[in-house]
Amino acid sequence: MRLSLLFGKTQREIPGEAETISHQLLLRAGMINQLTAGVYSFMPLAWRSAKKIMDIIRDEMDAAGGQEITMPVLQPIELWEKSGRGAAFGANLFKLIDRKDRVLALGPTHEEVVTDLAAHYIQSYRDLPQRLYQIQTKLRDEPRPRGGLVRVREFIMKDMYTFDADDAGLEVSYQKMVQAYKNIYRRCGLKAMAIEADSGAIGGKASHEFMVLAESGEDEIIFCPGCGYAANVEKAKFDKGSSIEQIPLPMTDVETPGKESIEDVAKFLNLAPSQMLKCVFYIADKEFIIAVIRGDLEINEVKLKNLLKATDLRLATAEEVSEQGIIAGSASPVGQKAKVIADDSIVSSINYVGGANIAGRHTNNVVLGRDFNAYKTSDIASAGVGAKCAKCGGTLESTRGIEVGHVFKLGTFLAETFGALYTDPEGNQKPCVMGCYGIGVGRLLAAAIEQNHDDKGIIWPMPIAPYPIHICGLSLDNEKVKEAADKIYADLYTAGIQSLYDDRIESPGVKFNDADLLGMPLRITASPRTLDKGGIELKKRSEKTFTLVPIDNIVGEVKRMIDEQMKAAA
Amino acid sequence: MRLSLLFGKTQREIPGEAETISHQLLLRAGMINQLTAGVYSFMPLAWRSAKKIMDIIRDEMDAAGGQEITMPVLQPIELWEKSGRGAAFGANLFKLIDRKDRVLALGPTHEEVVTDLAAHYIQSYRDLPQRLYQIQTKLRDEPRPRGGLVRVREFIMKDMYTFDADDAGLEVSYQKMVQAYKNIYRRCGLKAMAIEADSGAIGGKASHEFMVLAESGEDEIIFCPGCGYAANVEKAKFDKGSSIEQIPLPMTDVETPGKESIEDVAKFLNLAPSQMLKCVFYIADKEFIIAVIRGDLEINEVKLKNLLKATDLRLATAEEVSEQGIIAGSASPVGQKAKVIADDSIVSSINYVGGANIAGRHTNNVVLGRDFNAYKTSDIASAGVGAKCAKCGGTLESTRGIEVGHVFKLGTFLAETFGALYTDPEGNQKPCVMGCYGIGVGRLLAAAIEQNHDDKGIIWPMPIAPYPIHICGLSLDNEKVKEAADKIYADLYTAGIQSLYDDRIESPGVKFNDADLLGMPLRITASPRTLDKGGIELKKRSEKTFTLVPIDNIVGEVKRMIDEQMKAAA
């Protein structure tokens, strides 16, 4: 492709609205264009990359026994009423009324449609397993689209749905998908990690997320270098320590003048923070909630929200707290009318120091079950760096990533609802056991950039680069250079290597900056100087050093470097 | 692919709702599934075919200098208000209101979005030409979806948009596209024809349709075997004969008792029908219209509707005619209050015989311009078989087809509206000259079946067949047969040939019927009988005769036959 003809133009300025690196770079590179909030056009270079990603995905889905189909964007609302998931998706579900006054939803996902299809075509245990996938446009009316391609309202997704006879079958399909997803990220040239995750609105029994690791990632991942345990911080478990046997002692008050924070009070009383109770106040769907946790731990709001099955959760304001008659800085779960939710950390011990609900005073020997009751007791604590791994006792670490895939064990609830039943060898009708598995193509592309860039621009991994190589022809008004650059471009094409050829009349500075911004993995520079030295300069985008290559060796050398980088990801 | 695992099942019964052959066969083959009116899922076999069609399209678009992009389904309604085309699309335009109360349209086509993109990225004559295309989902709320994949509400379309500096540039882009389209149909193994067409709601200056010829096609095409002229009957022109010089004679009435039809009156008066005037009455958007044409010709309602720029046109009822004081069977355009529209055929001569508007009586020597006036005079006649070609004087013939592509010269109106301007070498700002070009993928697939089938099922053209070959293993409980059939399946796969392998325990009748219905171009039969004779039977789906091929020669022979059929389309 000649850069002079390429549709899309680079820009120097960092677009004001772009917060994330991938968003900034995709806009600056002229690779995407926003039509309206969370809705983008893919320009030629980004689309080439997306197609390569889709090819890799398709290949791995087929290898895992997948059959590709395509299901519609337009879905009768009745399907969503039947599954009951319309409510869970809420305002995220786009709806319209057609010319015959029927309500149609725009598919945010396709469990309903595919289960309806399965009900048509699956009859016998002989028809199982089925692994169906599509690569298709999804629409979700996200409340806060952001991050360029990271959180959008329209996106291309590969979604697979598996139908098995039983849980053991689902386990096989699920593990095949987990492996296929790992292969996909590796083959895209990305470092990714499978972690335990929450099922959210999709529903089901168990799920894993796949994270592309990137410093700029929006998700925090807790992992154990010892045993390989990894989970989203929203879900991560850890060892909170075993219980210490103690005799319950009577509550006594103690003066703590001017001490309000856990740290200050603990220090003043010469205690460890883990001997104290921490109270945090929330409004969950308009209800006042007191969350109680051991003093050395933090509340995880996602865990708390899921435990409460709340749609909306936020910290209570100072006013809302004092309306409850609670004295901040000396709050106590004892004697409260509001619902108390306790982290399981405080079950493991007794005789905690809590607030006295009187300013400047605390209470010794507070005991859960004796002095106050919890509406629910569960794990609502955030796992942090340095916490103890619940699986192996190792020390947990933290990293950041971007979710690029999510797999779910759905079970039988949708198959039962839609009548996706099969007859087993004994003649009994049973529901199919389902799994579903999604990868967002644009999200993956953005994550690849978050993981692979420097301050000058994108550094595409070879397998998903729009073009493997960028040819900079400098001083193309010089006949000799133009001839050489044209020949390299043509020779590479003949050898099956499509390249991006900067044939514009621009300064070397503009050309090098654009090459760095656009980020093809290899770069050739042809100029009067390099030709005088006997060839062209060949360099990797990720490195500063270059090699002088004689014109006649270029095709071979470029091929070798492409193969080398492709193999590293294979 | 093992048929035992394939998602989708064949059915014997012809589905009641399916009128067209392709609809019937696609449903019976389990290749498509209707979710709601005009909205289909593609099952694995149909989707494989669609992907092959898309690959061929992509290849030809790239070869014609196309750059592939992807634009969104969701489009702000403001774009459609700005272009003014929202009204032209009317209720066909799906609209929804998002969570922030903004109105979004679902793209029925992408002229608005692409011109907006062009306004961003095209600045100079150096940026031209641009040829941008996508293969993407379109949504149109068709009033009467029908024919399976022929007229639907959701479909995948390849749409290209070209931007040129001037009309000469557009002509180059347009001709490149016409050639690319011809290549696409040929490479898909289809017989197609480019014909002159009407621009409809898309707008613009000129357009051509591409028709896949098929007896069952819904469109009538008029063509001249002599000079190659071809047009949709809705648009076709023909030579109506040159004028005969005559002196205008005074009107005189003549008794024609009991004679009402043109034929009867002409015979009675010993005249040719071409010496008479024919009046036909219409209601165009609630207005009564009298269409007048030479007695030997027929009114073309599409031409009349376009001439009147009417949204709705229908024949007037007998009651509506008599309300106008018109005597049917003796109607005259003379002395009418209603609007008269005249076909240009009646300009070429004078002294016609018309009705006298009195039962049983006609009038001689009616002259347009003297005895009655026309509101408009234009070509509103239907070209029929046997008419004279306006280009070469040859005799026109008629055939039927299905529209599978449409190309338009749009001109500058959208570029002006959206500011898609470029600066020419002299520094003047000018609007880009645009063209647009569409192919419906599912429509093409359906048309391929309309053109290629027999009473037993589909006969896929090799280039777009889901699989090139269907292996029928008969009596697979016989170890020897099973081993041979498994080996053939594996050997073909190793040789790069994916096949459909009927490995089910079913009778030969069921297997052969399914093979004929599914329609892969080649079929292998392996049975105890063929093995006893020393091999397997290989036959074309389109022929009855088969060849006995020794097991060791199968891969070579299959390859040869595939190549042969691919070359025929290349």
Side-chain angles (χ1 to χ4, degrees):
Chain A
M1 183 76 216
R2 287 173 182 269
L3 205 50
S4 61
L5 300 176
L6 180 73
F7 188 61
K9 282 192 162 56
T10 59
Q11 63 179 75
R12 289 284 144 256
E13 322 77 65
I14 297 174
E17 77 273 24
E19 289 166 27
T20 62
I21 298 284
S22 60
H23 192 191
Q24 288 172 11
L25 292 176
L26 283 166
L27 285 176
R28 284 187 52 210
M31 291 186 183
I32 59 172
N33 185 281
Q34 180 173 298
L35 180 58
T36 183
V39 178
Y40 288 86
S41 295
F42 280 66
M43 304 284 285
L45 292 180
W47 188 241
R48 283 184 72 90
S49 177
K51 281 196 288 183
K52 290 190 176 182
I53 293 170
M54 290 188 273
D55 283 347
I56 292 171
I57 291 175
R58 195 167 265 137
D59 204 39
E60 289 293 334
M61 290 299 108
D62 291 344
Q67 296 185 49
E68 189 173 350
I69 62 177
T70 286
M71 293 178 282
V73 166
L74 297 174
Q75 306 184 355
I77 194 70
E78 291 76 14
L79 288 178
W80 289 88
E81 288 164 354
K82 196 168 176 183
S83 73
R85 299 199 314 164
F89 274 85
N92 273 21
L93 194 66
F94 278 115
K95 276 173 272 192
L96 61 81
I97 297 169
D98 75 5
R99 69 192 300 153
K100 302 219 163 126
D101 283 330
R102 284 174 299 218
V103 180
L104 296 169
L106 305 188
T109 179
H110 281 73
E111 282 81 8
E112 280 73 7
V113 177
V114 80
T115 313
D116 190 52
L117 273 184
H120 270 80
Y121 296 108
I122 293 176
Q123 276 123 35
S124 149
Y125 69 96
R126 286 191 204 88
D127 299 329
L128 298 176
Q130 285 292 349
R131 302 188 184 117
L132 307 172
Y133 77 98
Q134 61 176 351
I135 302 179
Q136 182 261 8
T137 299
K138 299 279 180 280
L139 297 135
R140 295 180 187 172
D141 202 356
E142 288 281 348
R144 281 172 296 279
R146 61 182 183 71
L149 299 183
V150 172
R151 193 165 294 279
V152 287
R153 300 200 293 167
E154 174 172 344
F155 56 100
I156 295 171
M157 182 171 158
K158 186 288 299 175
D159 38 330
M160 175 176 265
Y161 306 91
T162 60
F163 297 85
D164 280 281
D166 50 29
D167 285 344
L170 170 59
E171 189 60 32
V172 172
S173 291
Y174 192 81
Q175 290 308 331
K176 267 183 189 286
M177 273 307 106
V178 168
Q179 188 55 52
Y181 274 39
K182 287 180 180 171
N183 296 348
I184 288 165
Y185 304 121
R186 191 192 65 247
R187 289 183 57 190
C188 286
L190 302 178
K191 283 183 272 301
M193 194 185 252
I195 67 169
E196 290 185 8
D198 191 73
S199 303
I202 296 287
K205 294 197 272 187
S207 83
H208 283 86
E209 280 169 357
F210 292 82
M211 292 283 176
V212 163
L213 305 182
E215 276 170 39
S216 56
E218 58 181 343
D219 285 283
E220 189 182 351
I221 303 158
I222 299 296
F223 70 100
C224 173
C227 68
Y229 171 79
N232 197 312
V233 69
E234 296 174 351
K235 168 95 177 176
K237 290 191 191 316
F238 62 104
D239 184 350
K240 295 170 186 172
S242 50
S243 65
I244 307 154
E245 262 191 65
Q246 290 185 54
I247 297 159
L249 301 175
M251 285 201 288
T252 54
D253 276 11
V254 53
E255 297 298 320
T256 51
K259 309 296 174 194
E260 297 203 334
S261 72
I262 294 281
E263 248 181 32
D264 289 351
V265 176
K267 206 171 167 186
F268 181 78
L269 297 177
N270 204 19
L271 294 171
S274 61
Q275 290 172 279
M276 298 193 59
L277 289 183
K278 182 192 286 183
C279 293
V280 191
F281 311 103
Y282 292 94
I283 306 293
D285 295 340
K286 297 184 183 166
E287 186 182 2
F288 191 88
I289 295 287
I290 304 171
V292 185
I293 193 165
R294 216 172 59 198
D296 58 327
L297 303 176
E298 300 293 335
I299 301 284
N300 180 314
E301 295 186 2
V302 175
K303 288 181 180 177
L304 177 61
K305 188 177 164 187
N306 285 340
L307 182 67
L308 292 168
K309 296 196 168 77
T311 306
D312 195 59
L313 181 83
R314 62 167 174 84
L315 281 170
T317 61
E319 206 169 40
E320 287 163 337
V321 171
S322 86
E323 271 171 14
Q324 294 282 328
I326 293 171
I327 305 299
S330 180
S332 166
V334 178
Q336 300 295 350
K337 280 186 196 163
K339 229 176 232 175
V340 173
I341 306 294
D343 182 60
D344 55 12
S345 58
I346 61 172
V347 179
S348 63
S349 192
I350 57 175
N351 299 336
Y352 286 101
V353 173
N357 214 25
I358 295 164
R361 189 180 290 182
H362 278 73
T363 305
N364 288 318
N365 306 323
V366 180
V367 177
L368 172 64
R370 183 191 70 181
D371 307 322
F372 72 102
N373 284 313
Y375 171 70
K376 277 187 178 176
T377 303
S378 184
D379 172 31
I380 54 167
S382 268
V385 174
K388 205 167 155 186
C389 174
K391 289 206 173 170
C392 78
T395 304
L396 295 178
E397 294 185 14
S398 156
T399 185
R400 300 197 75 83
I402 300 160
E403 188 203 321
V404 288
H406 209 150
V407 297
F408 301 86
K409 290 185 185 174
L410 288 173
T412 56
F413 72 99
L414 282 168
E416 282 160 11
T417 306
F418 287 94
L421 310 176
Y422 71 95
T423 309
D424 76 4
E426 285 74 43
N428 307 308
Q429 285 234 311
K430 290 184 175 169
C432 295
V433 185
M434 291 174 59
C436 72
Y437 318 84
I439 291 186
V441 174
R443 171 79 74 96
L444 180 53
L445 190 152
I449 295 174
E450 295 287 344
Q451 190 175 79
N452 299 280
H453 67 272
D454 61 16
D455 55 351
K456 292 178 176 170
I458 303 168
I459 307 174
W460 288 105
M462 183 61 80
I464 62 171
Y467 293 91
I469 188 158
H470 189 122
I471 305 168
C472 284
L474 306 185
S475 315
L476 287 173
D477 43 357
N478 177 323
E479 259 311 305
K480 220 176 105 194
V481 179
K482 188 171 180 307
E483 208 173 277
D486 282 357
K487 184 176 179 328
I488 292 165
Y489 179 55
D491 288 352
L492 286 173
Y493 187 84
T494 308
I497 300 167
Q498 295 196 37
S499 61
L500 192 61
Y501 172 23
D502 191 344
D503 61 337
R504 300 172 302 172
I505 305 299
E506 291 282 5
S507 73
V510 166
K511 293 201 173 195
F512 289 145
N513 280 338
D514 278 350
D516 282 343
L517 175 56
L518 297 174
M520 306 310 134
L522 302 176
R523 191 184 84 194
I524 279 173
T525 307
S527 71
R529 193 178 52 76
T530 68
L531 294 184
D532 283 351
K533 283 203 264 177
I536 55 89
E537 285 172 5
L538 179 59
K539 78 177 273 293
K540 294 183 185 166
R541 169 67 181 84
S542 56
E543 292 177 6
K544 289 200 168 152
T545 54
F546 55 80
T547 327
L548 191 77
V549 181
I551 298 263
D552 289 345
N553 300 356
I554 292 167
V555 170
E557 185 57 16
V558 167
K559 240 184 174 157
R560 193 191 61 74
M561 287 176 78
I562 293 174
D563 286 350
E564 184 184 274
Q565 292 191 29
M566 289 299 285
K567 258 181 213 153
Chain B
M1 183 77 217
R2 287 174 181 267
L3 206 49
S4 62
L5 300 176
L6 180 73
F7 188 62
K9 283 192 162 58
T10 59
Q11 63 179 75
R12 289 284 143 259
E13 322 77 64
I14 297 174
E17 78 273 24
E19 289 165 27
T20 61
I21 297 284
S22 61
H23 192 190
Q24 288 171 11
L25 292 177
L26 283 166
L27 285 176
R28 284 186 52 212
M31 290 186 184
I32 59 170
N33 184 282
Q34 180 172 300
L35 180 59
T36 184
V39 179
Y40 288 87
S41 294
F42 280 68
M43 303 284 285
L45 291 180
W47 188 240
R48 283 183 72 89
S49 177
K51 281 196 289 182
K52 290 189 177 185
I53 293 170
M54 290 187 273
D55 283 347
I56 291 171
I57 292 175
R58 195 166 266 135
D59 204 39
E60 290 293 334
M61 290 300 107
D62 291 344
Q67 296 186 48
E68 189 173 350
I69 61 176
T70 285
M71 292 177 282
V73 166
L74 298 174
Q75 306 184 356
I77 195 69
E78 290 76 14
L79 287 178
W80 289 88
E81 288 164 355
K82 197 167 176 182
S83 72
R85 298 200 314 164
F89 275 86
N92 273 21
L93 193 65
F94 278 115
K95 275 173 273 193
L96 62 82
I97 297 169
D98 75 4
R99 68 192 302 154
K100 302 219 164 126
D101 283 331
R102 285 175 298 217
V103 180
L104 295 169
L106 306 188
T109 179
H110 281 74
E111 283 81 8
E112 279 74 6
V113 177
V114 81
T115 314
D116 189 53
L117 273 184
H120 269 81
Y121 295 108
I122 293 175
Q123 275 122 36
S124 150
Y125 69 95
R126 285 192 205 90
D127 299 330
L128 298 175
Q130 285 293 347
R131 303 188 183 115
L132 306 172
Y133 77 98
Q134 60 175 351
I135 302 180
Q136 182 261 9
T137 299
K138 299 278 180 278
L139 298 135
R140 294 181 187 173
D141 201 357
E142 287 282 348
R144 281 172 296 278
R146 61 181 183 72
L149 299 184
V150 172
R151 193 166 292 282
V152 288
R153 299 200 292 166
E154 173 172 344
F155 56 101
I156 295 170
M157 181 170 160
K158 185 289 300 172
D159 39 331
M160 177 176 263
Y161 307 91
T162 60
F163 297 85
D164 280 281
D166 50 28
D167 285 343
L170 170 59
E171 190 59 34
V172 172
S173 291
Y174 192 80
Q175 290 308 332
K176 268 183 189 285
M177 274 305 107
V178 168
Q179 188 54 53
Y181 274 38
K182 288 180 180 171
N183 296 348
I184 288 165
Y185 304 121
R186 191 191 67 246
R187 288 183 58 189
C188 286
L190 302 177
K191 284 183 270 300
M193 194 184 253
I195 67 170
E196 291 185 9
D198 191 74
S199 303
I202 296 286
K205 294 196 271 186
S207 83
H208 283 86
E209 280 170 357
F210 292 84
M211 292 283 178
V212 163
L213 305 182
E215 277 171 38
S216 56
E218 59 181 344
D219 285 284
E220 190 183 351
I221 303 158
I222 299 296
F223 70 99
C224 173
C227 68
Y229 171 77
N232 197 312
V233 69
E234 297 174 351
K235 169 94 179 175
K237 291 191 190 318
F238 62 104
D239 184 349
K240 295 170 187 172
S242 48
S243 65
I244 307 154
E245 261 189 68
Q246 290 184 57
I247 297 159
L249 301 174
M251 285 201 289
T252 55
D253 277 11
V254 55
E255 297 299 319
T256 51
K259 309 297 173 194
E260 298 203 335
S261 71
I262 294 280
E263 247 182 32
D264 289 351
V265 176
K267 208 170 166 185
F268 181 78
L269 297 177
N270 203 20
L271 294 170
S274 61
Q275 291 173 277
M276 298 192 60
L277 288 183
K278 183 191 286 182
C279 293
V280 190
F281 311 102
Y282 291 95
I283 306 294
D285 296 340
K286 299 186 182 165
E287 185 182 2
F288 191 89
I289 295 287
I290 304 170
V292 184
I293 193 165
R294 216 171 60 197
D296 58 327
L297 302 177
E298 301 292 335
I299 301 284
N300 181 313
E301 296 186 2
V302 175
K303 288 182 180 177
L304 178 61
K305 188 176 163 187
N306 286 340
L307 181 68
L308 293 167
K309 296 196 169 75
T311 307
D312 196 60
L313 182 84
R314 61 169 175 84
L315 281 170
T317 61
E319 206 169 42
E320 286 163 337
V321 172
S322 86
E323 270 171 16
Q324 294 282 329
I326 293 172
I327 306 300
S330 179
S332 166
V334 179
Q336 300 295 350
K337 281 186 196 162
K339 228 177 234 174
V340 173
I341 306 294
D343 182 60
D344 54 13
S345 58
I346 61 171
V347 178
S348 62
S349 193
I350 57 175
N351 299 338
Y352 286 102
V353 172
N357 214 25
I358 296 165
R361 188 179 292 183
H362 278 73
T363 306
N364 289 318
N365 306 324
V366 180
V367 177
L368 171 64
R370 181 190 73 181
D371 308 322
F372 72 102
N373 284 312
Y375 172 70
K376 277 189 177 173
T377 303
S378 184
D379 171 33
I380 55 167
S382 267
V385 173
K388 207 166 154 187
C389 175
K391 290 207 172 170
C392 78
T395 304
L396 294 178
E397 295 185 14
S398 155
T399 185
R400 300 198 74 82
I402 300 158
E403 186 202 323
V404 288
H406 209 151
V407 296
F408 301 85
K409 290 184 185 174
L410 288 173
T412 57
F413 70 99
L414 283 167
E416 281 159 11
T417 306
F418 287 94
L421 310 175
Y422 72 95
T423 309
D424 75 4
E426 286 74 42
N428 307 308
Q429 285 233 311
K430 291 184 176 168
C432 295
V433 185
M434 290 175 58
C436 72
Y437 318 85
I439 292 186
V441 174
R443 170 79 74 96
L444 179 53
L445 190 152
I449 295 174
E450 296 286 343
Q451 190 175 79
N452 299 280
H453 67 272
D454 61 18
D455 56 350
K456 292 178 176 170
I458 303 167
I459 307 174
W460 287 106
M462 183 61 82
I464 62 170
Y467 292 91
I469 187 158
H470 188 121
I471 304 168
C472 284
L474 307 185
S475 314
L476 286 174
D477 43 357
N478 176 323
E479 258 311 305
K480 221 176 105 194
V481 179
K482 185 171 182 307
E483 208 172 278
D486 283 356
K487 184 177 179 325
I488 293 165
Y489 178 55
D491 287 353
L492 287 172
Y493 188 85
T494 307
I497 300 167
Q498 295 196 39
S499 60
L500 192 60
Y501 173 23
D502 191 345
D503 61 337
R504 301 171 303 170
I505 305 298
E506 291 282 3
S507 73
V510 167
K511 291 200 173 197
F512 288 146
N513 280 338
D514 278 349
D516 282 343
L517 176 56
L518 297 175
M520 305 311 133
L522 301 176
R523 190 184 84 193
I524 279 174
T525 306
S527 72
R529 194 178 52 76
T530 68
L531 293 184
D532 282 351
K533 284 202 264 176
I536 54 89
E537 286 171 3
L538 179 59
K539 79 180 271 295
K540 293 183 185 166
R541 169 67 180 85
S542 57
E543 292 178 5
K544 288 202 169 149
T545 55
F546 54 81
T547 328
L548 192 76
V549 181
I551 298 266
D552 289 346
N553 299 356
I554 293 167
V555 170
E557 186 56 17
V558 167
K559 241 185 173 157
R560 194 191 60 74
M561 288 176 78
I562 294 174
D563 286 350
E564 184 183 274
Q565 292 192 27
M566 290 298 285
K567 258 181 215 152

